[in-house]
Amino acid sequence: MNCNLLANINNPIDLRKLPENQLPQLAKELRDFIIDIVSKKEGHLGASLGVIELTIALHYVFNTPEDLLVWDVGHQAYGHKILTERQAIFHTNRELNGISGFPKRSESPYDAFGVGHSSTSISAALGMALASQLKGEINKQHIAVIGDASIASGMAFEGLNHAGVTDANLLVILNDNAIGIDPSIGALKDYLTAVKEGKNPKQNNIIKSLNFDYSGPIDGHDLPKLISELERLKLVKGPKFLHVITTKGKGLQLAEEEQVKYHAPGKFDAETGKIHPKDESHLPPKFQDVFGHTLVELAQKNEKIIGITPAMPTGSSMKYMMEAFPKRAFDVGIAEQHAVTLAAGMATQGMVVFCNIYSTFLQRAYDQVIHDVALQNLPVIFCLDRAGLVGEDGATHHGVFDIAYLNCIPNLIIASPKDEKELRNIMYTASEGLNYPIAIRYPRGRGEVVNWQLPFEKIEIGKLKTLQKGTQVAILSTGTIGNNVTKALNEVENPSFFSHFHFPFIKPLDVNSIWEIIAAHDQLITIEDGVITGGFGEQINTIIATNNLKKPIVNLGIPDAFIEHGTVLELQQLCKIDVTSIIQLLNTF
């Protein structure tokens, strides 16, 4: 019986002591280790299973961490983490105070660059390579591993374009599995498919045209071939490009067959791969599904309605629109800047465009929101999924900056519904025609209302809602975090002390009502699931200060720090915006 190789490998130094003929056994053990942990603890599965052989080969051939290895996005880096001194703590992956689900510089010297968003690896590795040149480190290797979905992003092209006119010691490895989270799309994907099938003439090679030394495509699960080619490329000067073909979910049959579902499948049986069933029939819907089904319902009545998503049709539930109206729904790939300006172009022609982007990813298209949409006052409807704290994906994915970064943009309405019904009605109101662009932010996960699919009602833009009247303290909330306030008020010692006002619109603010609230109460509390700095609460502070009203106010929200990973409840507790923390605060009055 073979001994367990993985148990004796703490770092790549140990890995490099193994004879090459033992590496396939290590690959199987590494796959089994990941499957076992993720089946119980959850996380990103398919991407890491697809690059096990590539991960082993990279650390076997290159002298990491002296040679610098950059993973794009980082969904696929579990094997890398396990081989680089984190095997014993891998079970803490994505847990509060545990290791991050993505490469992170402060976590390990083997994580050369922190990632989480896509398409950054080529630019980062090129920057490292050029810096090494300037320092005279001519033998240092710099490797960027990027997927076929990520390389279609504009930033990746910018990195390739620059690298091609340098003599930097850069190796770009294309991990081509024809899928990101959802299947890859676009002309580049079609080109890569033709290359894999041997249908594309070599003189038409896009990568060679950019002055890269191109090799491949090769089988990314063939360890001897990978090691041989990487050893060869170590000796090649200048920018190099290796095209590797892999299978996402490799080694777990169901993960290979259902790659979208097994990107992050939740808990499952490690032996069979079958996902543990959950009875969710009695639960409120996910906000993404409320968005998706409402969009289809609106589109049935208005042929001008268009849906756009940058590579997140499943995660955003734009898939429902794509299924119902395939000619009116567009997955543009990992290209947030393009998505926003595409929406702007359509809006100039009278289309009613719902541009659905995760809050954290809209950060990548900030200039387009300002320059192409707001400046021209085009009524694009931005639907910002995953607003607020998202949980285990951590600092790179929390949608906590959107209120602050959008609030300073003229012409832009910012809406933050409290529940599914309000999301539905704000979408309806926007679809009926606005004179301005609007951003509607809503969280990841389930809402509060089971019976949400009610007849549409138009909402008056900029008006607050009074949820409870009290005598002393006014609580001003925006968005779904207001539900925590409602629950807390049901348990406080003196509920009659407190008024609760919900602001479905952060911009424009209901200023006249705010003045009335200030006048009628001794003290104010604001609460939001975004950053306090520049957020909703600071707007209320400004109204008080500029009018010299001298009213005590407490601002609750995300502090001026990057919040790491954990469950949403754990992170709310850290930020003191969970129900229990609110109760404790209110009981001091």
Side-chain angles (χ1 to χ4, degrees), residues 360-381:
T360 184
F361 298 153
L362 187 66
Q363 295 164 189
R364 295 160 61 93
Y366 190 54
D367 178 63
Q368 286 69 28
V369 174
I370 297 173
H371 183 275
D372 298 340
V373 177
L375 181 61
Q376 303 185 85
N377 207 17
L378 295 170
V380 174
I381 304 163

Side-chain angles (χ1 to χ4, degrees), residues 283-319:
L283 297 176
K286 294 178 180 178
F287 276 95
Q288 68 194 52
D289 290 336
V290 173
F291 160 79
H293 291 302
T294 300
L295 183 60
V296 171
E297 193 174 345
L298 293 170
Q300 288 167 343
K301 300 174 183 177
N302 185 346
E303 64 183 15
K304 290 186 176 181
I305 287 179
I306 302 291
I308 296 174
T309 178
M312 293 292 165
T314 299
S316 70
S317 290
M318 184 67 76
K319 63 181 181 181

Side-chain angles (χ1 to χ4, degrees), residues 68 122-138 140-143 158-159 161-171 238-239:
L68 300 172
I122 297 173
S123 297
L126 176 60
M128 296 169 185
L130 293 174
S132 293
Q133 272 190 343
L134 292 171
K135 294 191 292 184
E137 298 171 346
I138 58 174
K140 180 175 280 193
Q141 304 288 328
H142 313 83
I143 308 102
E158 292 168 21
N161 183 54
H162 182 196
V165 293
T166 74
D167 58 354
N169 190 14
L170 172 69
L171 170 60

Side-chain angles (χ1 to χ4, degrees), residues 130 279 300 334 351 384 536 553:
L130 293 174
D279 180 11
Q300 288 167 343
I334 303 175
M351 295 300 177
L384 305 189
F536 165 70
I553 184 168

Side-chain angles (χ1 to χ4, degrees), residues 213-262:
D213 184 305
Y214 173 90
S215 59
I218 66 171
D219 182 354
H221 303 296
D222 184 338
L223 265 165
K225 181 64 176 175
L226 281 171
I227 290 170
S228 173
E229 188 60 16
L230 292 174
E231 290 283 8
R232 185 188 72 81
L233 288 169
K234 275 174 66 173
L235 304 176
V236 175
K237 302 299 182 183
K240 303 158 292 250
F241 191 101
L242 174 60
H243 187 172
V244 172
I245 311 302
T246 63
T247 300
K248 188 172 183 178
K250 179 74 172 178
L252 187 64
Q253 184 177 347
L254 285 175
E256 293 184 33
E257 295 171 355
E258 300 183 70
Q259 294 176 331
V260 174
K261 182 182 291 188
Y262 281 82

